Amino acid sequence: MLNTEFRKAIDEECKAAISVKGLINKREVRLLFIAAAILTAQGEILEIGSFKGRSTLILAKGARWAAQNKIVACDPFPPPTNPNDPAVRPSYEVFLETLERNGISENVEIHRKFSAELAKDWNRPIRLLWIDGDHSYPGVKADVDGFFPHLVPGAIVALHDIGRSRLPGPTTCFMEDVLMSDGFGMCGMCHYTGWAQFIGSGGLKKYRLEKGKAYRFLAARKLQQVLGTKMRPLRRWRYKRFRRSGSFEKWVFSVYKDLVPSPKNL
Ligand SMILES: C[S@@+](CC[C@H](N)C(=O)[O-])C[C@H]1O[C@@H](n2cnc3c(N)ncnc32)[C@H](O)[C@@H]1O
């Protein structure tokens, strides 16, 4: 059972994060908060792609509930494409302001660089990996190859923009490197976020059916996007249902019920 304080924190922190300009929706914010707050394994929380700090904020707030002081954020924070436009503020400036305003400046280790550079020297275990940086196939694949070897059994991976036609990189990597790998167990979708639990190299076959189902949905979606056809109403309805299907919350709270955080962690 969720204690009242934690339930209240989920609602309040998610509301605060949604007020920051960003590219993930309410349900995805909730998923990140809970994934950071429940210690399914020991290791770092690594975010690739921070932008103005929406996901950074929610991960850092969630991490506090797991008594984890710092999360790692990696983004080159490029300057605005039109630096002469005074209305456009650099994302780095807004990002720092988000951290400051929400009292988490001390809780975020910032790496202002491309993830490939960070991966070169990275040698820390990872318990939560959030990939929302370079969305090209080579970009996501480099993140997968660079950071998956550091996942500890029990770790959660979450990739954003799964099933989006303009951004095929995350979908392809999620399908091939996560769903087709026995190293991953439980998986699901939450809006445009695909998530899965890393279970280690001697992975179990029992999750193949679940992952196979997800693979089939995404393959059908990809094919339909490539062919430029419309989904038939029934298929569209099934696909929408699939995007809401593997409830992370339901799964994590049932498997890790003993780890549901309480205010004494704070
Ligand atoms: C979609 S936005 C991230 C949105 C953010 N997660 C949120 O919650 O709103 C993508 C970000 O990834 C960054 N990015 C692009 N390529 C990257 C790379 N190779 N490594 C790290 N970050 C990258 C961009 O600078 C941009 O800020």
Side-chain angles (χ1 to χ4, degrees):
M1 272 300 283
L2 289 193
N3 60 64
T4 326
E5 289 83 356
F6 186 52
R7 198 190 295 272
K8 228 168 92 189
I10 300 178
D11 293 341
E12 279 169 10
E13 303 294 8
C14 292
K15 210 165 143 196
I18 281 294
S19 71
V20 174
K21 200 165 167 26
L23 296 143
I24 53 174
N25 84 351
K26 259 193 230 165
R27 289 176 47 226
E28 293 167 315
V29 161
R30 224 180 133 91
L31 179 147
L32 291 183
F33 180 78
I34 294 167
I38 303 239
L39 215 51
T40 60
Q42 296 289 341
E44 303 287 346
I45 296 178
L46 172 60
E47 168 186 75
I48 298 170
S50 309
F51 190 46
K52 296 184 177 174
R54 180 181 280 188
S55 50
T56 323
L57 167 60
I58 205 66
L59 287 170
K61 290 283 186 167
R64 279 188 183 174
W65 282 84
Q68 189 159 2
N69 268 335
K70 271 208 192 302
I71 68 149
V72 183
C74 171
D75 193 311
F77 298 104
T81 35
N82 181 2
N84 299 325
D85 181 354
V88 183
R89 293 176 61 205
S91 61
Y92 191 52
E93 204 177 294
V94 183
F95 174 76
L96 292 179
E97 202 177 277
T98 302
L99 305 193
E100 185 73 37
R101 194 160 11 94
N102 290 281
I104 52 160
S105 302
E106 300 294 304
N107 305 103
V108 182
E109 179 186 313
I110 306 169
H111 292 263
R112 192 173 180 183
K113 52 172 77 158
F114 289 101
S115 50
E117 282 173 68
L118 181 68
K120 272 190 227 152
D121 305 320
W122 185 270
N123 57 9
R124 291 139 75 177
I126 300 174
R127 75 153 172 110
L128 175 55
L129 177 61
W130 166 235
I131 301 184
D132 191 16
D134 178 350
H135 286 64
S136 68
Y137 175 72
V140 188
K141 183 68 177 148
D143 290 339
V144 162
D145 292 343
F147 296 106
F148 274 20
H150 301 282
L151 293 173
V152 284
I156 305 294
V157 294
L159 283 80
H160 196 226
D161 290 311
I162 303 299
R164 286 213 154 139
S165 54
R166 321 176 270 116
L167 311 160
T171 311
T172 308
C173 286
F174 187 64
M175 289 170 71
E176 302 307 328
D177 296 293
V178 177
L179 299 177
M180 281 293 110
S181 158
D182 276 342
F184 287 89
M186 194 57 189
C187 68
M189 284 283 294
C190 171
H191 195 53
Y192 285 113
T193 295
W195 62 270
Q197 182 173 45
F198 180 68
I199 49 178
S201 45
L204 299 173
K205 289 185 181 164
K206 74 171 188 177
Y207 295 102
R208 280 188 181 168
L209 198 65
E210 197 67 37
K211 289 185 293 182
K213 250 191 328 197
Y215 189 96
R216 228 176 36 210
F217 270 113
L218 290 171
R221 171 80 173 151
K222 242 173 112 171
L223 192 65
Q224 170 249 331
Q225 286 166 341
V226 170
L227 299 178
T229 52
K230 278 204 162 155
M231 269 190 187
R232 290 205 200 105
L234 179 62
R235 194 178 272 269
R236 189 167 52 231
W237 176 79
R238 283 207 188 116
Y239 180 69
K240 276 190 172 166
R241 205 177 57 159
F242 156 70
R243 275 176 48 200
R244 289 193 298 264
S245 59
S247 166
F248 179 74
E249 287 180 42
K250 214 161 128 192
W251 168 75
V252 84
F253 290 139
S254 63
V255 176
Y256 293 97
K257 47 182 174 291
D258 299 336
L259 295 180
V260 171
S262 80
K264 67 177 181 331
N265 290 353
L266 291 177

